[in-house]
Amino acid sequence: MDNLWQIVLDDLEPSLPHATFITWFKPTEQLSSSPDKLIIKVSNVFAKTQFEKKFDPIIKTSLKKNNLNIKHIDYVVKSTTPKKPSERSVSEEITTITKSAIAKKPTIDTGLNPRYTFDNFVVGSNNDLAVAACQAAVKNPGTKYNPIFLYGGVGLGKTHLMQAVGNEILKLNPSTKVLYTTIEQFYNEFIDMVRFKRGEKSFSEKYRSVDVLIVDDMQFITGKEKSQESFFHTFNDLHQKNRQIIISSDRHPREISTLEDRLKSRFEMGMIIDIQMPDFETRCAIIKAKASLSGTELPDDTTEWLANHYKSNIRELEGSLNHLLAWCEMRGYQPDASTAEGLLGEATRAPIPKHLTPKQIIEKTARYFQITVKEICSPDRSKNIVEPRQIAMYLLRNELGLSYPAISKELSRKDHTTAMHSVEKMTKEIKFNYLLREQISEIRERLYA
Ligand code: ADP
Ligand code: MG
């Protein structure tokens, strides 16, 4: 039987967030394949719905891309229920015992990807604080900053940095027990344990015996009481024993609405640090570092072209760099800015709908906040007018690429530095102010509706 599923896994791994891949895809297995159907084993009911509802389309696309004409995929949950002891033979019993004795010997799967190290993590003003805290945790795990809570937008290096801590600690002291997991994976294991009414001991043993616990994507914590309680107790237990805990999320704990207050306050006991978007210099440094890892020295104009076109997500930046390098290598070309423009330019140009005008942005922003256009363009400095005005400026800049003097003119401001400061302020604030992010994305939706 061909392992068609492996082809899909290999195809999807590089394009999916690492945490998604290890949580959902890694525990799967192909059970059978026929010319038009695949049967895939997934770990639990929760995973089954994720696959059916969320991942099925990308999996089908991947099959198609690999010329596999499979129309249907069944995701099945299968547990390997152990036989009752009375049904086992003595020799079976012995093998089980020896096997479990061997299994108890450490070598727990750390969940770490050895690719994520400090060596290949570029430090810039956007992440220097986070790096410093993480290095302190490497030196003195569990004593200085505990927990460390990293938050920031997608693709900004949170997973990389947390895993670098785990890898470095293991390098310095190979007997340390490090465990990387996502909150979803933690939940899945907890649900399995409850569902099959077994494994309770090994579940808590696994989590409570670690020296360093790294938990990714905390924003996916759900309101489910029991599992949240289980995480709370695991956290407390480790924290009391001075075991290092590192957590990441795409937003501040305060902004995670599903997170219980008692966990929020536990997280506040430690160090909460944000990772921001890298500035131009840092982006250039990252590009150079990544290119040299693949043995290429990029000319400055190409580096700068990339740094100018990918500002908010390093994963995308990296993907495009790899695309460019592979394309050039296959043709024996030297990468340069015009090749980059030709290959990637189209995709990076945000489509500006022809109908969208500055006036519409101002109108829709004003309407969203239930104020008038006259007010938004007036000298009024009251809070409920200033905020919408700043958001309008931010949108004029980001949606239409207007210059600061043009923005000032549209909003009847005299001085263009106000527009500049407002846009800068919004750009910063949007990263940690979840409400603001929501508001802006709702206005955007209305603009493009
Ligand atoms: P997040 O978890 O914040 O979504 P990741 O840690 O998955 O982001 O990072 C996305 C990609 O960008 C990874 O391949 C990572 O190696 C790379 N990356 C992010 N920040 C840096 C950095 N400062 N230096 C080098 N690579 C980085
Ligand atoms: Mg991540």
Side-chain angles (χ1 to χ4, degrees):
M1 179 178 70
D2 284 346
N3 198 345
L4 305 180
W5 187 237
Q6 194 56 46
I7 299 176
V8 174
L9 294 181
D10 291 342
D11 182 40
L12 292 177
E13 183 167 9
S15 58
L16 287 168
H18 179 66
T20 306
F21 189 83
I22 67 159
T23 307
W24 304 109
F25 286 81
K26 203 146 169 246
T28 60
E29 191 185 311
Q30 173 177 317
L31 293 177
S32 73
S33 70
S34 63
D36 60 355
K37 187 165 163 182
L38 266 184
I39 301 182
I40 303 302
K41 179 181 149 188
V42 298
S43 45
N44 55 41
V45 200
F46 194 37
K48 180 175 155 71
T49 42
Q50 289 287 318
F51 273 94
E52 286 168 346
K53 298 238 161 78
K54 196 164 146 195
F55 301 126
D56 197 61
I58 54 166
I59 292 168
K60 296 226 168 96
T61 313
S62 162
L63 285 165
K64 231 190 233 148
K65 200 171 105 194
N66 288 290
N67 292 323
L68 297 165
N69 198 17
I70 287 177
K71 297 265 161 359
H72 194 80
I73 310 170
D74 271 349
Y75 304 96
V76 300
V77 183
K78 263 206 181 152
S79 64
T80 38
T81 5
K83 289 184 198 168
K84 287 195 196 111
S86 57
E87 292 164 10
R88 292 193 222 157
S89 69
V90 175
S91 69
E92 254 183 294
E93 197 78 4
I94 291 170
T95 15
T96 327
I97 293 168
T98 16
K99 265 197 193 142
S100 66
I102 293 167
K104 281 234 174 64
K105 287 251 164 339
T107 60
I108 49 166
D109 186 6
T110 62
L112 292 173
N113 182 338
R115 185 169 83 84
Y116 294 130
T117 61
F118 279 106
D119 295 346
N120 56 21
F121 193 77
V122 175
V123 184
S125 58
N126 62 316
N127 60 20
D128 51 358
L129 226 58
V131 173
C134 285
Q135 277 166 341
V138 168
K139 269 201 197 122
N140 299 301
T143 52
K144 194 135 187 213
Y145 307 121
N146 208 15
I148 294 178
F149 192 103
L150 302 176
Y151 74 99
V154 178
L156 294 182
K158 300 182 295 295
T159 300
H160 186 140
L161 189 53
M162 299 167 102
Q163 293 220 7
V165 174
N167 283 319
E168 186 71 15
I169 289 182
L170 273 179
K171 198 169 109 192
L172 296 174
N173 185 354
S175 64
T176 317
K177 281 195 196 161
V178 178
L179 184 61
Y180 167 89
T181 183
T182 65
I183 193 70
E184 287 175 305
Q185 196 181 2
F186 180 89
Y187 272 32
N188 282 345
E189 284 179 30
F190 180 77
I191 290 166
D192 275 356
M193 175 195 84
V194 174
R195 216 165 75 93
F196 299 117
K197 303 245 181 314
R198 60 184 162 82
E200 184 151 9
K201 223 163 151 218
S202 65
F203 175 83
S204 53
E205 250 171 35
K206 172 173 168 187
Y207 285 98
R208 297 192 186 183
S209 67
V210 298
D211 301 308
V212 181
L213 180 65
I214 306 174
V215 187
D216 212 345
D217 290 328
M218 188 52 79
Q219 73 272 14
F220 293 129
I221 192 156
T222 66
K224 289 207 193 70
E225 250 175 49
K226 279 269 155 50
S227 0
Q228 190 148 163
E229 189 175 322
S230 157
F231 181 74
F232 178 73
H233 291 310
T234 309
F235 179 95
N236 280 345
D237 189 65
L238 293 174
H239 195 263
Q240 268 161 22
K241 292 190 282 198
N242 286 331
R243 308 287 164 82
Q244 181 69 50
I245 301 163
I246 309 177
I247 298 166
S248 90
S249 158
D250 69 352
R251 62 195 86 142
H252 194 284
R254 269 201 308 269
E255 311 287 345
I256 307 177
S257 56
T258 44
L259 187 67
E260 286 177 7
D261 287 341
R262 55 181 184 173
L263 269 173
K264 282 184 192 164
S265 69
R266 286 297 186 285
F267 295 163
E268 311 237 354
M269 296 188 308
M271 179 94 159
I272 301 182
I273 317 170
D274 68 331
I275 296 194
Q276 309 227 339
M277 299 188 203
D279 58 17
F280 180 76
E281 256 79 63
T282 312
R283 295 199 296 278
C284 287
I286 292 173
I287 297 162
K288 288 216 178 303
K290 302 262 172 205
S292 80
L293 273 182
S294 43
T296 317
E297 202 171 317
L298 272 192
D300 286 344
D301 67 338
T302 320
T303 308
E304 281 164 22
W305 189 94
L306 286 165
N308 272 323
H309 285 79
Y310 297 89
K311 296 184 177 160
S312 58
N313 183 329
I314 299 172
R315 186 176 300 119
E316 280 174 11
L317 172 68
E318 202 176 353
S320 294
L321 169 68
N322 290 338
H323 186 169
L324 175 68
L325 293 180
W327 196 89
C328 289
E329 191 181 298
M330 278 190 286
R331 289 164 182 78
Y333 293 170
Q334 211 31 45
D336 60 25
S338 66
T339 314
E341 170 66 38
L343 191 66
L344 308 163
E346 199 59 49
T348 58
R349 261 188 296 283
I352 298 175
K354 292 227 164 48
H355 62 272
L356 191 60
T357 62
K359 201 157 161 268
Q360 280 169 323
I361 292 189
I362 297 170
E363 262 171 27
K364 297 225 165 146
T365 311
R367 195 174 313 149
Y368 179 87
F369 289 102
Q370 297 177 352
I371 58 172
T372 63
V373 171
K374 211 168 155 196
E375 282 171 312
I376 216 173
C377 296
S378 72
D380 195 336
R381 301 278 317 147
S382 46
K383 195 168 181 286
N384 66 321
I385 309 283
V386 171
E387 262 177 25
R389 187 181 294 139
Q390 290 178 330
I391 291 179
M393 289 177 167
Y394 176 84
L395 288 167
L396 288 170
R397 177 77 182 167
N398 279 280
E399 304 306 301
L400 298 180
L402 290 196
S403 68
Y404 294 119
I407 295 173
S408 306
K409 202 164 144 232
E410 292 295 340
L411 285 153
S412 322
R413 315 321 292 168
K414 288 193 196 79
D415 181 3
H416 80 268
T417 53
T418 325
M420 198 166 81
H421 291 317
S422 300
V423 172
E424 273 169 11
K425 181 166 172 264
M426 289 292 113
T427 311
K428 258 194 205 137
E429 207 167 314
I430 199 171
K431 277 175 261 170
F432 52 85
N433 186 336
Y434 182 59
L435 181 68
L436 179 68
R437 259 201 319 259
E438 293 274 278
Q439 288 174 332
I440 290 183
S441 80
E442 276 177 31
I443 300 173
R444 262 203 195 107
E445 265 168 37
R446 293 182 192 189
L447 289 175
Y448 295 103

mmCIF file of all heavy atoms in Angstrom, residues 251-252 254-256 368-369 383 387 391 426 429-443:
data_model
loop_
_atom_site.group_PDB
_atom_site.id
_atom_site.type_symbol
_atom_site.label_atom_id
_atom_site.label_comp_id
_atom_site.label_asym_id
_atom_site.label_seq_id
_atom_site.Cartn_x
_atom_site.Cartn_y
_atom_site.Cartn_z
ATOM 1 N N ARG A 251 -1.660 37.297 21.797
ATOM 2 C CA ARG A 251 -2.067 38.538 22.455
ATOM 3 C C ARG A 251 -1.792 38.462 23.963
ATOM 4 O O ARG A 251 -1.502 37.395 24.488
ATOM 5 C CB ARG A 251 -3.546 38.792 22.197
ATOM 6 C CG ARG A 251 -4.441 37.725 22.751
ATOM 7 C CD ARG A 251 -5.817 37.821 22.158
ATOM 8 N NE ARG A 251 -5.867 37.096 20.899
ATOM 9 C CZ ARG A 251 -6.931 36.375 20.505
ATOM 10 N NH1 ARG A 251 -8.001 36.334 21.248
ATOM 11 N NH2 ARG A 251 -6.904 35.722 19.376
ATOM 12 N N HIS A 252 -1.881 39.607 24.602
ATOM 13 C CA HIS A 252 -1.667 39.716 26.046
ATOM 14 C C HIS A 252 -2.687 38.838 26.784
ATOM 15 O O HIS A 252 -3.833 38.739 26.347
ATOM 16 C CB HIS A 252 -1.851 41.191 26.434
ATOM 17 C CG HIS A 252 -1.354 41.525 27.798
ATOM 18 N ND1 HIS A 252 -2.041 41.178 28.933
ATOM 19 C CD2 HIS A 252 -0.233 42.169 28.215
ATOM 20 C CE1 HIS A 252 -1.376 41.605 29.999
ATOM 21 N NE2 HIS A 252 -0.273 42.215 29.584
ATOM 22 N N ARG A 254 -4.469 39.391 29.257
ATOM 23 C CA ARG A 254 -5.684 40.183 29.498
ATOM 24 C C ARG A 254 -6.678 40.083 28.352
ATOM 25 O O ARG A 254 -7.879 40.187 28.548
ATOM 26 C CB ARG A 254 -5.294 41.667 29.602
ATOM 27 C CG ARG A 254 -4.980 42.167 30.959
ATOM 28 C CD ARG A 254 -5.141 43.704 30.991
ATOM 29 N NE ARG A 254 -4.386 44.369 29.921
ATOM 30 C CZ ARG A 254 -3.143 44.792 30.058
ATOM 31 N NH1 ARG A 254 -2.489 44.634 31.181
ATOM 32 N NH2 ARG A 254 -2.533 45.400 29.054
ATOM 33 N N GLU A 255 -6.145 39.950 27.146
ATOM 34 C CA GLU A 255 -6.999 39.993 25.960
ATOM 35 C C GLU A 255 -7.508 38.615 25.547
ATOM 36 O O GLU A 255 -8.199 38.475 24.558
ATOM 37 C CB GLU A 255 -6.237 40.595 24.765
ATOM 38 C CG GLU A 255 -5.512 41.886 25.051
ATOM 39 C CD GLU A 255 -6.463 43.054 25.203
ATOM 40 O OE1 GLU A 255 -7.632 42.910 24.803
ATOM 41 O OE2 GLU A 255 -6.046 44.085 25.750
ATOM 42 N N ILE A 256 -7.116 37.581 26.275
ATOM 43 C CA ILE A 256 -7.614 36.257 25.924
ATOM 44 C C ILE A 256 -8.920 36.056 26.678
ATOM 45 O O ILE A 256 -8.918 35.773 27.880
ATOM 46 C CB ILE A 256 -6.604 35.147 26.294
ATOM 47 C CG1 ILE A 256 -5.235 35.460 25.700
ATOM 48 C CG2 ILE A 256 -7.094 33.781 25.792
ATOM 49 C CD1 ILE A 256 -4.159 34.448 26.078
ATOM 50 N N TYR A 368 -18.716 54.161 11.566
ATOM 51 C CA TYR A 368 -18.467 53.049 12.482
ATOM 52 C C TYR A 368 -18.495 53.522 13.938
ATOM 53 O O TYR A 368 -19.020 52.855 14.811
ATOM 54 C CB TYR A 368 -17.124 52.396 12.148
ATOM 55 C CG TYR A 368 -16.753 51.241 13.044
ATOM 56 C CD1 TYR A 368 -17.187 49.943 12.752
ATOM 57 C CD2 TYR A 368 -15.965 51.432 14.180
ATOM 58 C CE1 TYR A 368 -16.862 48.879 13.568
ATOM 59 C CE2 TYR A 368 -15.631 50.380 15.001
ATOM 60 C CZ TYR A 368 -16.070 49.110 14.698
ATOM 61 O OH TYR A 368 -15.754 48.050 15.512
ATOM 62 N N PHE A 369 -17.916 54.694 14.159
ATOM 63 C CA PHE A 369 -17.868 55.206 15.533
ATOM 64 C C PHE A 369 -19.046 56.130 15.864
ATOM 65 O O PHE A 369 -19.048 56.818 16.887
ATOM 66 C CB PHE A 369 -16.555 55.946 15.775
ATOM 67 C CG PHE A 369 -15.372 55.022 15.834
ATOM 68 C CD1 PHE A 369 -14.509 54.887 14.754
ATOM 69 C CD2 PHE A 369 -15.137 54.255 16.968
ATOM 70 C CE1 PHE A 369 -13.432 54.019 14.805
ATOM 71 C CE2 PHE A 369 -14.059 53.399 17.032
ATOM 72 C CZ PHE A 369 -13.208 53.267 15.941
ATOM 73 N N LYS A 383 -11.672 62.739 23.239
ATOM 74 C CA LYS A 383 -11.202 61.368 23.017
ATOM 75 C C LYS A 383 -12.039 60.616 21.981
ATOM 76 O O LYS A 383 -11.513 59.933 21.115
ATOM 77 C CB LYS A 383 -11.211 60.630 24.361
ATOM 78 C CG LYS A 383 -10.421 59.339 24.351
ATOM 79 C CD LYS A 383 -10.237 58.843 25.779
ATOM 80 C CE LYS A 383 -9.433 57.571 25.850
ATOM 81 N NZ LYS A 383 -9.960 56.348 25.479
ATOM 82 N N GLU A 387 -9.734 59.409 18.597
ATOM 83 C CA GLU A 387 -9.435 58.010 18.275
ATOM 84 C C GLU A 387 -9.892 57.607 16.873
ATOM 85 O O GLU A 387 -9.092 57.088 16.095
ATOM 86 C CB GLU A 387 -10.023 57.084 19.339
ATOM 87 C CG GLU A 387 -8.949 56.690 20.339
ATOM 88 C CD GLU A 387 -9.497 55.837 21.469
ATOM 89 O OE1 GLU A 387 -10.536 55.162 21.270
ATOM 90 O OE2 GLU A 387 -8.884 55.874 22.541
ATOM 91 N N ILE A 391 -7.546 56.443 13.669
ATOM 92 C CA ILE A 391 -7.788 55.199 12.926
ATOM 93 C C ILE A 391 -7.971 55.502 11.437
ATOM 94 O O ILE A 391 -7.435 54.798 10.581
ATOM 95 C CB ILE A 391 -9.004 54.444 13.521
ATOM 96 C CG1 ILE A 391 -8.622 53.923 14.904
ATOM 97 C CG2 ILE A 391 -9.451 53.312 12.601
ATOM 98 C CD1 ILE A 391 -9.706 53.185 15.641
ATOM 99 N N MET A 426 -0.760 54.247 16.070
ATOM 100 C CA MET A 426 -1.682 53.152 15.758
ATOM 101 C C MET A 426 -0.916 51.868 15.419
ATOM 102 O O MET A 426 -1.272 50.785 15.841
ATOM 103 C CB MET A 426 -2.568 53.510 14.565
ATOM 104 C CG MET A 426 -3.601 54.570 14.847
ATOM 105 S SD MET A 426 -4.876 53.989 15.983
ATOM 106 C CE MET A 426 -4.559 54.993 17.389
ATOM 107 N N GLU A 429 0.238 50.450 18.597
ATOM 108 C CA GLU A 429 -0.826 50.050 19.505
ATOM 109 C C GLU A 429 -1.582 48.815 19.008
ATOM 110 O O GLU A 429 -2.008 47.977 19.793
ATOM 111 C CB GLU A 429 -1.785 51.211 19.672
ATOM 112 C CG GLU A 429 -2.493 51.158 21.001
ATOM 113 C CD GLU A 429 -3.203 52.459 21.289
ATOM 114 O OE1 GLU A 429 -2.588 53.531 21.090
ATOM 115 O OE2 GLU A 429 -4.373 52.400 21.688
ATOM 116 N N ILE A 430 -1.714 48.718 17.698
ATOM 117 C CA ILE A 430 -2.508 47.639 17.116
ATOM 118 C C ILE A 430 -1.932 46.276 17.514
ATOM 119 O O ILE A 430 -2.627 45.286 17.583
ATOM 120 C CB ILE A 430 -2.546 47.802 15.583
ATOM 121 C CG1 ILE A 430 -3.701 47.017 14.999
ATOM 122 C CG2 ILE A 430 -1.238 47.382 14.936
ATOM 123 C CD1 ILE A 430 -3.913 47.326 13.548
ATOM 124 N N LYS A 431 -0.642 46.283 17.851
ATOM 125 C CA LYS A 431 -0.001 45.017 18.159
ATOM 126 C C LYS A 431 -0.440 44.452 19.501
ATOM 127 O O LYS A 431 -0.535 43.257 19.661
ATOM 128 C CB LYS A 431 1.516 45.187 18.149
ATOM 129 C CG LYS A 431 2.043 45.097 16.753
ATOM 130 C CD LYS A 431 3.502 45.384 16.721
ATOM 131 C CE LYS A 431 3.725 46.815 16.296
ATOM 132 N NZ LYS A 431 5.065 47.273 16.443
ATOM 133 N N PHE A 432 -0.693 45.336 20.453
ATOM 134 C CA PHE A 432 -1.067 44.761 21.738
ATOM 135 C C PHE A 432 -2.489 45.099 22.151
ATOM 136 O O PHE A 432 -2.979 44.580 23.137
ATOM 137 C CB PHE A 432 -0.066 45.122 22.839
ATOM 138 C CG PHE A 432 0.211 46.582 22.957
ATOM 139 C CD1 PHE A 432 -0.621 47.380 23.717
ATOM 140 C CD2 PHE A 432 1.300 47.141 22.315
ATOM 141 C CE1 PHE A 432 -0.373 48.730 23.824
ATOM 142 C CE2 PHE A 432 1.557 48.499 22.416
ATOM 143 C CZ PHE A 432 0.713 49.295 23.166
ATOM 144 N N ASN A 433 -3.130 45.958 21.376
ATOM 145 C CA ASN A 433 -4.497 46.306 21.727
ATOM 146 C C ASN A 433 -5.463 45.506 20.853
ATOM 147 O O ASN A 433 -5.716 45.825 19.702
ATOM 148 C CB ASN A 433 -4.691 47.806 21.540
ATOM 149 C CG ASN A 433 -6.044 48.262 22.021
ATOM 150 O OD1 ASN A 433 -6.994 47.484 22.092
ATOM 151 N ND2 ASN A 433 -6.145 49.537 22.345
ATOM 152 N N TYR A 434 -5.987 44.477 21.466
ATOM 153 C CA TYR A 434 -6.804 43.544 20.716
ATOM 154 C C TYR A 434 -8.081 44.222 20.211
ATOM 155 O O TYR A 434 -8.500 44.029 19.080
ATOM 156 C CB TYR A 434 -7.159 42.361 21.625
ATOM 157 C CG TYR A 434 -7.957 41.300 20.947
ATOM 158 C CD1 TYR A 434 -7.442 40.659 19.831
ATOM 159 C CD2 TYR A 434 -9.218 40.950 21.401
ATOM 160 C CE1 TYR A 434 -8.162 39.676 19.191
ATOM 161 C CE2 TYR A 434 -9.944 39.965 20.769
ATOM 162 C CZ TYR A 434 -9.416 39.329 19.656
ATOM 163 O OH TYR A 434 -10.142 38.376 19.034
ATOM 164 N N LEU A 435 -8.653 45.050 21.056
ATOM 165 C CA LEU A 435 -9.897 45.725 20.692
ATOM 166 C C LEU A 435 -9.677 46.588 19.451
ATOM 167 O O LEU A 435 -10.463 46.573 18.502
ATOM 168 C CB LEU A 435 -10.361 46.586 21.872
ATOM 169 C CG LEU A 435 -11.671 47.326 21.635
ATOM 170 C CD1 LEU A 435 -12.822 46.343 21.557
ATOM 171 C CD2 LEU A 435 -11.916 48.333 22.761
ATOM 172 N N LEU A 436 -8.579 47.322 19.479
ATOM 173 C CA LEU A 436 -8.261 48.182 18.347
ATOM 174 C C LEU A 436 -8.121 47.365 17.064
ATOM 175 O O LEU A 436 -8.622 47.725 16.008
ATOM 176 C CB LEU A 436 -6.963 48.947 18.640
ATOM 177 C CG LEU A 436 -6.474 49.876 17.533
ATOM 178 C CD1 LEU A 436 -7.422 51.052 17.352
ATOM 179 C CD2 LEU A 436 -5.072 50.399 17.843
ATOM 180 N N ARG A 437 -7.438 46.242 17.191
ATOM 181 C CA ARG A 437 -7.274 45.360 16.019
ATOM 182 C C ARG A 437 -8.622 44.928 15.466
ATOM 183 O O ARG A 437 -8.841 44.934 14.258
ATOM 184 C CB ARG A 437 -6.497 44.113 16.443
ATOM 185 C CG ARG A 437 -5.055 44.173 16.046
ATOM 186 C CD ARG A 437 -4.339 42.860 15.956
ATOM 187 N NE ARG A 437 -4.578 41.875 16.958
ATOM 188 C CZ ARG A 437 -3.775 41.612 17.995
ATOM 189 N NH1 ARG A 437 -2.675 42.303 18.154
ATOM 190 N NH2 ARG A 437 -4.067 40.666 18.847
ATOM 191 N N GLU A 438 -9.505 44.567 16.379
ATOM 192 C CA GLU A 438 -10.844 44.129 15.956
ATOM 193 C C GLU A 438 -11.574 45.265 15.246
ATOM 194 O O GLU A 438 -12.175 45.071 14.204
ATOM 195 C CB GLU A 438 -11.670 43.713 17.175
ATOM 196 C CG GLU A 438 -11.148 42.495 17.858
ATOM 197 C CD GLU A 438 -11.695 41.229 17.221
ATOM 198 O OE1 GLU A 438 -12.821 40.855 17.551
ATOM 199 O OE2 GLU A 438 -10.967 40.644 16.384
ATOM 200 N N GLN A 439 -11.491 46.468 15.858
ATOM 201 C CA GLN A 439 -12.202 47.606 15.274
ATOM 202 C C GLN A 439 -11.695 47.869 13.866
ATOM 203 O O GLN A 439 -12.472 48.016 12.934
ATOM 204 C CB GLN A 439 -11.985 48.859 16.137
ATOM 205 C CG GLN A 439 -12.742 48.808 17.451
ATOM 206 C CD GLN A 439 -12.402 49.982 18.350
ATOM 207 O OE1 GLN A 439 -11.299 50.534 18.280
ATOM 208 N NE2 GLN A 439 -13.342 50.360 19.199
ATOM 209 N N ILE A 440 -10.376 47.900 13.729
ATOM 210 C CA ILE A 440 -9.816 48.201 12.418
ATOM 211 C C ILE A 440 -10.208 47.130 11.411
ATOM 212 O O ILE A 440 -10.568 47.432 10.273
ATOM 213 C CB ILE A 440 -8.288 48.380 12.519
ATOM 214 C CG1 ILE A 440 -8.014 49.682 13.278
ATOM 215 C CG2 ILE A 440 -7.645 48.394 11.153
ATOM 216 C CD1 ILE A 440 -6.581 50.058 13.413
ATOM 217 N N SER A 441 -10.204 45.871 11.855
ATOM 218 C CA SER A 441 -10.528 44.862 10.847
ATOM 219 C C SER A 441 -12.014 44.896 10.491
ATOM 220 O O SER A 441 -12.394 44.616 9.369
ATOM 221 C CB SER A 441 -10.023 43.477 11.241
ATOM 222 O OG SER A 441 -10.887 42.898 12.147
ATOM 223 N N GLU A 442 -12.857 45.312 11.448
ATOM 224 C CA GLU A 442 -14.279 45.455 11.092
ATOM 225 C C GLU A 442 -14.493 46.600 10.103
ATOM 226 O O GLU A 442 -15.282 46.482 9.176
ATOM 227 C CB GLU A 442 -15.126 45.692 12.352
ATOM 228 C CG GLU A 442 -15.482 44.398 13.041
ATOM 229 C CD GLU A 442 -16.261 44.617 14.335
ATOM 230 O OE1 GLU A 442 -17.012 45.613 14.418
ATOM 231 O OE2 GLU A 442 -16.101 43.787 15.251
ATOM 232 N N ILE A 443 -13.772 47.696 10.324
ATOM 233 C CA ILE A 443 -13.923 48.814 9.381
ATOM 234 C C ILE A 443 -13.418 48.383 8.001
ATOM 235 O O ILE A 443 -14.047 48.641 6.978
ATOM 236 C CB ILE A 443 -13.149 50.062 9.861
ATOM 237 C CG1 ILE A 443 -13.680 50.507 11.221
ATOM 238 C CG2 ILE A 443 -13.270 51.195 8.846
ATOM 239 C CD1 ILE A 443 -12.896 51.609 11.884
#
